[in-house]
């Protein structure tokens, strides 16, 4: 007796061989995938979902965001980076970031992520206990980090305090099924070598991911050169914090030599093309990194610089951006880009044993895409259709750890009217700041 059986679906398992089942089924029990295949019609299950030939993919993994920043979506856009941060974002964050702000913002983000087929995300912000509470209610999964900086933050007066609080947070959630605590030193230009090294000691001692922004802008590269006489990736390597548990967001400006170093050290990348474009940070050398064997995944970044949490659209941007920039239509084919938001993303967060592909024994994190719509027909190639024709809003059903969190485009776990009402309330507060 299974808990749920999905049948009559076009299943893209996204395993290493890109195995597909054109008229396939998936059986789920106790939150795990227990059978996947085709050619079976009769099932004993508590719930049977007929997929009507819709396309099924693994749950999408957003490897870099600041979920609570949904409350700052569109605020102060189109200004120079310095003006945007100093006159808009930082003053509001300084005044309002609290448990309540983060919980409300993350609730809104969780609704949007479920709606768009995201089942797990990597977060870096403050009050991560609020993010954890929100994720639990929404039934999602997350790798959660509190931003550690050398100056006072909403959560900690010093980086030492930030690191101690992270240790407590890791201890609190280390055995949780949905929350994967990790450590988040913000960036090489906001953290001293001492902070970066201490954070890595914690990552190793507690066996968690080390999430950091690296080489996002030219300004950062110049700043690191002035301070340490070298470029950001080499700087991290020089101080001994470049290894396989590093998930580096952005990586827009690595040198050729640094790309080799990223591959050699097995560093993982969260590529954020839309944020990099909107903030005019530049274009990351993704095809080159992939060619050298670097694991590249994709993140939306926060909605203040994107401005949405649609990972399918983000992947579409990535696929087209690098073709155009390299004047080569064969770079980053759709199949490879879909892998970046599923299989490669699971590897990037060191959870490939549990997520990233539809295989027996893995978590039942499943996304059904409604391809029975005019803009998704005729269906020659499902990978192409998802990356170039679909949007997050074409996701029909989402299952996380075997639990249905969205069915027939209706989110089951987050109250849509409530998150909209609360977002409107925050708008008034922020405008009257
Ligand atoms: Zn970021």
């Amino acid at each position: 007796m299974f808990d749920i059986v999905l049948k009559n679906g076009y299943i893209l398992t996204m395993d290493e061989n890109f195995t597909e089942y054109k008229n396939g089924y998936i059986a789920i029990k106790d939150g795990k995938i227990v059978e996947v295949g085709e050619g079976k019609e009769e099932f004993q299950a508590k719930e049977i979902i007929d997929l009507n030939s819709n396309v099924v993919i693994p749950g999408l993994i957003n490897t870099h965001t600041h979920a609570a920043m949904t409350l700052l979506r569109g605020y102060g856009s189109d200004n120079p980076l310095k003006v945007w941060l100093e006159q808009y974002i930082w003053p509001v964050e300084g005044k309002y970031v609290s448990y309540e702000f983060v919980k409300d913002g993350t609730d809104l983000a969780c609704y949007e992520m479920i709606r768009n087929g995201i089942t797990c995300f990597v977060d870096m912000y403050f009050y991560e206990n609020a993010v954890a509470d929100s994720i639990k209610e929404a039934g999602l999964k997350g790798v959660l980090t509190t931003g550690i900086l050398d100056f006072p933050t909403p959560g900690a007066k010093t980086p030492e305090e930030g690191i101690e609080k992270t240790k407590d947070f890791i201890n609190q959630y280390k055995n949780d099924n949905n929350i994967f605590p990790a450590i988040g030193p913000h960036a090489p230009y906001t953290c001293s070598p001492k902070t970066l090294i201490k954070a890595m000691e914690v990552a190793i001692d507690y066996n968690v991911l080390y999430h950091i922004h690296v080489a996002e802008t030219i300004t950062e590269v110049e700043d690191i050169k002035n301070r340490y006489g070298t470029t950001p990736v080499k700087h991290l390597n020089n101080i001994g914090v470049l290894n396989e548990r590093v998930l580096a967001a952005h990586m827009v400006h690595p040198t050729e030599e640094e790309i080799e170093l990223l591959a050699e050290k097995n560093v993982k990348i969260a590529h954020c093309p839309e944020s990099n474009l909107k903030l005019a940070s530049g274009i990351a050398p993704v095809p080159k990194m992939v060619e050298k064997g670097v694991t590249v995944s994709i993140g939306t970044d926060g909605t203040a610089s994107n401005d949405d949490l649609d990972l399918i659209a983000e992947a579409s941007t990535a696929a087209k951006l690098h073709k155009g920039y390299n004047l080569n239509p064969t770079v980053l084919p759709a199949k490879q880009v879909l892998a970046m938001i599923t299989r490669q993303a699971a590897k990037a967060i060191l959870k490939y044993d549990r997520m990233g592909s539809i295989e027996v024994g893995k978590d039942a994190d499943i996304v059904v895409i409604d391809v029975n719509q005019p803009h998704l027909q005729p269906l020659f190639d499902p990978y192409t259709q998802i990356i170039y024709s679909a949007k997050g809003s074409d996701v029909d059903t989402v299952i996380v750890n075997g639990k249905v969190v969205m069915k027939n485009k209706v989110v089951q776990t987050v109250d849509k009217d409530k998150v909209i009402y609360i977002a409107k309330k925050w708008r008034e507060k922020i405008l009257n700041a």
Side-chain angles (χ1 to χ4, degrees):
M1 184 78 164
F2 303 120
D3 293 330
I4 302 174
V5 168
L6 300 149
K7 64 174 198 177
N8 300 326
Y10 191 160
I11 299 166
L12 310 179
T13 65
M14 300 308 289
D15 67 8
E16 296 293 338
N17 302 316
F18 290 95
T19 305
E20 295 174 16
Y21 300 105
K22 286 212 168 94
N23 188 17
Y25 70 92
I26 301 167
I28 297 167
K29 192 168 173 61
D30 300 327
K32 300 281 181 186
I33 297 167
V34 290
E35 276 186 35
V36 53
E38 59 192 342
K40 196 168 157 180
E41 281 299 323
E42 296 303 316
F43 299 95
Q44 288 230 310
K46 289 176 197 154
E47 185 178 4
I48 293 178
I49 300 173
D50 191 323
L51 297 170
N52 189 25
S53 303
N54 278 330
V55 172
V56 184
I57 57 175
L60 304 177
I61 304 170
N62 180 3
T63 58
H64 182 65
T65 192
H66 313 279
M69 291 185 87
T70 46
L71 294 180
L72 297 169
R73 189 197 315 265
Y75 186 61
S77 282
D78 297 341
N79 274 300
L81 187 62
K82 199 173 148 67
V83 174
W84 177 66
L85 287 173
E86 291 178 359
Q87 292 181 25
Y88 292 90
I89 301 298
W90 290 343
V92 173
E93 286 188 330
K95 185 160 182 186
Y96 287 118
V97 170
S98 59
Y99 179 92
E100 191 195 9
F101 179 96
V102 175
K103 176 70 168 57
D104 289 348
T106 308
D107 286 346
L108 183 63
C110 283
Y111 179 92
E112 188 180 351
M113 285 197 266
I114 292 172
R115 187 65 201 80
N116 290 326
I118 295 167
T119 55
C120 181
F121 64 96
V122 180
D123 197 62
M124 185 196 286
Y125 207 58
F126 308 107
Y127 295 92
E128 288 297 314
N129 55 330
V131 181
D133 291 346
S134 184
I135 284 184
K136 288 275 192 186
E137 288 171 26
L140 284 175
K141 295 198 268 202
V143 178
L144 307 190
T145 71
T146 298
I148 296 166
L149 295 95
D150 277 345
F151 39 84
T153 68
K157 288 186 196 72
T158 63
E160 289 78 17
E161 191 188 345
I163 288 173
E164 285 311 309
K165 284 191 167 175
T166 292
K167 283 187 195 171
D168 293 342
F169 185 73
I170 295 171
N171 279 326
Q172 190 184 345
Y173 286 102
K174 65 184 172 194
N175 297 317
D176 200 277
N177 204 31
N178 294 60
I179 311 292
F180 311 114
I183 194 155
H186 175 264
Y189 66 96
T190 49
C191 294
S192 65
K194 188 179 152 212
T195 304
L196 294 170
I197 292 165
K198 271 196 159 180
M200 182 51 78
E201 285 167 6
V202 173
I204 292 168
D205 285 351
Y206 291 77
N207 190 26
V208 297
L209 198 74
Y210 187 94
H211 190 39
I212 181 169
H213 299 85
V214 185
E216 181 175 358
T217 63
I218 294 283
T219 312
E220 174 188 338
V221 175
E222 292 305 317
D223 184 33
I224 296 294
K225 269 188 195 164
N226 289 336
R227 276 198 253 177
Y228 307 108
T230 188
T231 41
V233 177
K234 282 172 83 176
H235 167 59
L236 296 180
N237 190 47
N238 289 346
I239 63 170
V241 298
L242 205 65
N243 59 43
E244 71 290 345
R245 62 180 69 245
V246 175
L247 171 61
H250 301 299
M251 200 56 73
V252 179
H253 301 289
T255 62
E256 298 267 345
E257 191 189 348
E258 286 180 317
I259 294 173
E260 302 276 354
L261 203 50
L262 293 170
E264 185 192 314
K265 299 285 183 178
N266 199 10
V267 172
K268 319 300 194 296
I269 308 301
H271 173 44
C272 306
E274 292 185 6
S275 170
N276 299 157
L277 288 170
K278 188 175 180 235
L279 298 178
S281 303
I283 296 172
V286 171
K288 215 170 261 176
M289 290 195 278
V290 170
E291 190 193 306
K292 294 289 175 190
V294 180
T295 301
V296 178
S297 60
I298 297 178
T300 56
D301 207 357
T303 54
S305 61
N306 183 304
D307 289 347
D308 60 36
L309 297 166
D310 184 344
L311 199 58
I312 291 176
E314 194 80 26
S316 186
T317 299
K320 290 177 279 202
L321 172 66
H322 298 290
K323 288 173 175 69
Y325 184 67
N326 292 282
L327 303 178
N328 181 353
T330 68
V331 299
L332 300 192
K335 217 171 187 176
Q336 189 176 17
V337 175
L338 188 59
M340 286 179 171
I341 55 176
T342 54
R343 187 171 78 216
Q344 298 302 90
K347 290 176 188 169
I349 61 169
L350 310 176
K351 294 284 173 209
Y352 190 45
D353 58 329
R354 286 188 53 179
M355 306 176 204
S357 59
I358 299 174
E359 293 180 83
V360 170
K362 289 206 175 184
D363 293 1
D365 298 344
I366 310 283
V367 166
V368 180
I369 296 175
D370 176 10
V371 294
N372 290 297
Q373 302 182 81
H375 68 287
L376 297 175
Q377 291 292 333
L379 185 69
F380 293 109
D381 175 72
Y383 304 96
T384 295
Q385 218 78 325
I386 292 168
I387 297 300
Y388 299 118
S389 305
K391 303 272 178 289
S393 52
D394 296 316
V395 171
D396 183 80
T397 295
V398 179
I399 298 173
V400 186
N401 280 347
K403 189 174 172 237
V404 180
V405 296
M406 182 167 82
K407 195 170 184 183
N408 301 332
K409 301 192 171 88
V410 180
V411 175
Q412 309 287 311
T413 50
V414 186
D415 184 333
K416 182 181 175 183
D417 294 336
K418 189 177 163 192
V419 292
I420 293 172
Y421 174 80
I422 290 173
K424 287 180 176 175
K425 286 273 171 207
W426 274 108
R427 175 185 176 273
E428 280 164 37
K429 273 195 202 179
I430 290 165
L431 286 179
N432 295 328

